[in-house]
Amino acid sequence: MQLTVFRIVQEALTNARKHAGSGARARVRLTYGDHETVVDVRDDGEGRAGGPGSAPGSGYGLIGMRERVALHGGSLRTGRCEGRGYQVTARLPLPKEEGALR
């Protein structure tokens, strides 16, 4: 699970760096609950044609994130934010025997 969280953040930040445009900033938020971990990565860039938002779920990085999240029974939402930016949100249920990732 911890490796999945790391790889989602890594890939989302890589996509932001590649596609958000010059001067864009990114924010990473990890939320730990009793039953799930939520990973939220957003950038405030303008993006460019061919970037991760060019087609829903396109790109090998997005496919990889989706597969990693599915292995844990979670969900992944990706797409352009209203106005500017791009968002990646993964919801990962915590295994009952492991508890929180803290």
Side-chain angles (χ1 to χ4, degrees), residues 6-86:
F6 172 80
R7 291 291 292 136
I8 290 167
V9 171
Q10 183 181 41
E11 185 61 39
L13 290 175
T14 297
N15 285 346
R17 184 168 185 260
K18 289 164 90 174
H19 302 294
S22 179
R25 298 182 317 174
R27 179 194 66 172
V28 176
R29 184 185 319 175
L30 301 175
T31 306
Y32 302 99
D34 291 335
H35 303 287
E36 72 176 356
T37 296
V38 179
V39 181
D40 186 62
V41 182
R42 296 181 192 202
D43 71 62
D44 61 2
E46 293 182 33
R48 64 177 193 252
S54 59
S58 66
Y60 293 116
L62 294 177
I63 292 169
M65 280 190 271
R66 203 166 298 285
E67 289 172 351
R68 287 177 187 273
V69 169
L71 285 173
H72 294 283
S75 64
L76 181 73
R77 194 178 84 221
T78 64
R80 296 218 179 271
C81 298
E82 192 171 319
R84 293 176 52 135
Y86 196 83

